[in-house]
Amino acid sequence: MQRGILVAVEGIDGAGKTTQSKALVRLLRKNGYDAIYTSEPTSVGVGKLLRRPGLGKVPPALEALLFAADRMEHVRRVIEPGLRKGYVIVSDRYVHSSIAYQGAMLGDAEWVRTVNRFAPKPDVAFLLDVEPRLALSRIRRPRSRFERLELLEAVRKIYLEMAGAGELILLDGTKPPGQVTEELLARLRPFLPSPKSNCTQKLGP
Ligand code: TYD
């Protein structure tokens, strides 16, 4: 069985990660891939705890450890089994979210990297880049504690540094949604395993 691949979709709140990750999974399935959508923070165990209102009061370092613990469970429960089954796993946020957000809040992105060393590296990671002002204007529901202009400016800066270092593939998240999905697929193409053998469709947008 050919091992699957792990694709991470990253960006600040309001960048369109969820819409794009789900659209990418639909497109991959149409093209004969066993693709699954997953996201962080998860909604079980530590992930559920992280979503509880009021957690904003815990020290940022503890919060970083909680995000890492949630990720450890996510890797064990979803990512590793999916990779073993040969799936293309599209994760709406992964390790780079912690490096960017907790790195910005703590001022020590290297420490955040260290506590996340257990997590398998994504085969491909995308950054959907949108300016914080525009991203915030896209959020229609009440804002979470992370959705503040000044924090998102700092988070975006770390994301852009990682893209500059070649860790993330930079995409313009302000383009029309359909175009962004096509670009994701096009940039992902070189990393994809061969589609299911019983599928005769060719990969294309
Ligand atoms: P988000 O992607 O908005 O999840 P959902 O749409 O399901 O509520 O993530 C919630 C918040 O968690 C977001 O503001 C960013 C933050 N976050 C971190 O700070 N560090 C992390 O490692 C992760 C995964 C998320």
Side-chain angles (χ1 to χ4, degrees):
M1 162 72 71
Q2 196 177 5
R3 193 171 159 84
I5 64 162
L6 176 59
V7 182
V9 180
E10 295 284 352
I12 61 172
D13 297 79
K17 295 172 305 301
T18 305
T19 307
Q20 289 301 333
S21 307
K22 289 183 174 171
L24 179 62
V25 165
R26 281 195 297 275
L27 198 52
L28 284 165
R29 286 184 180 159
K30 238 168 90 186
N31 283 281
Y33 289 93
D34 277 325
I36 56 171
Y37 168 87
T38 187
S39 65
E40 292 187 1
T42 70
S43 47
V44 293
V46 181
K48 205 165 175 180
L49 180 78
L50 274 164
R51 290 175 179 281
R52 277 229 298 259
L55 198 77
K57 294 181 189 79
V58 305
L62 174 54
E63 189 166 53
L65 293 173
L66 292 174
F67 275 112
D70 180 42
R71 181 162 301 121
M72 198 176 270
E73 274 300 288
H74 188 212
V75 167
R76 193 183 60 83
R77 194 171 48 80
V78 179
I79 295 178
E80 276 299 346
L83 289 174
R84 279 198 296 273
K85 286 183 187 142
Y87 293 159
V88 178
I89 302 173
V90 178
S91 188
D92 177 351
R93 295 195 181 280
Y94 190 54
V95 178
H96 294 101
S97 281
S98 283
I99 301 170
Y101 281 78
Q102 278 62 57
M105 289 165 90
L106 278 162
D108 188 351
E110 281 317 304
W111 181 80
V112 180
R113 258 183 210 281
T114 305
V115 298
N116 278 281
R117 276 225 301 253
F118 67 88
K121 281 208 165 54
D123 296 274
V124 193
F126 292 104
L127 170 59
L128 298 185
D129 184 50
V130 173
E131 276 192 12
R133 246 177 241 285
L134 174 63
L136 283 174
S137 76
R138 288 174 170 182
I139 298 171
R140 294 275 168 257
R141 51 177 166 69
R143 290 180 186 175
S144 78
R145 65 187 185 284
F146 295 106
E147 292 162 355
R148 293 181 279 119
L149 188 61
E150 167 203 335
L151 173 63
L152 293 187
E153 301 274 11
V155 171
R156 181 185 187 219
K157 184 165 174 273
I158 299 176
Y159 269 139
L160 288 173
E161 280 165 11
M162 293 192 282
E167 276 189 66
L168 297 164
I169 297 176
L170 181 65
L171 292 181
D172 180 354
T174 64
K175 288 188 180 166
Q179 202 174 322
V180 176
T181 318
E182 278 177 27
E183 278 185 31
L184 280 167
L185 180 62
R187 301 296 295 269
L188 186 57
R189 217 182 283 239
F191 300 92
L192 288 170
S194 44
K196 282 186 288 189
S197 53
N198 60 353
C199 179
T200 51
Q201 281 176 301
K202 288 267 186 310
L203 181 66

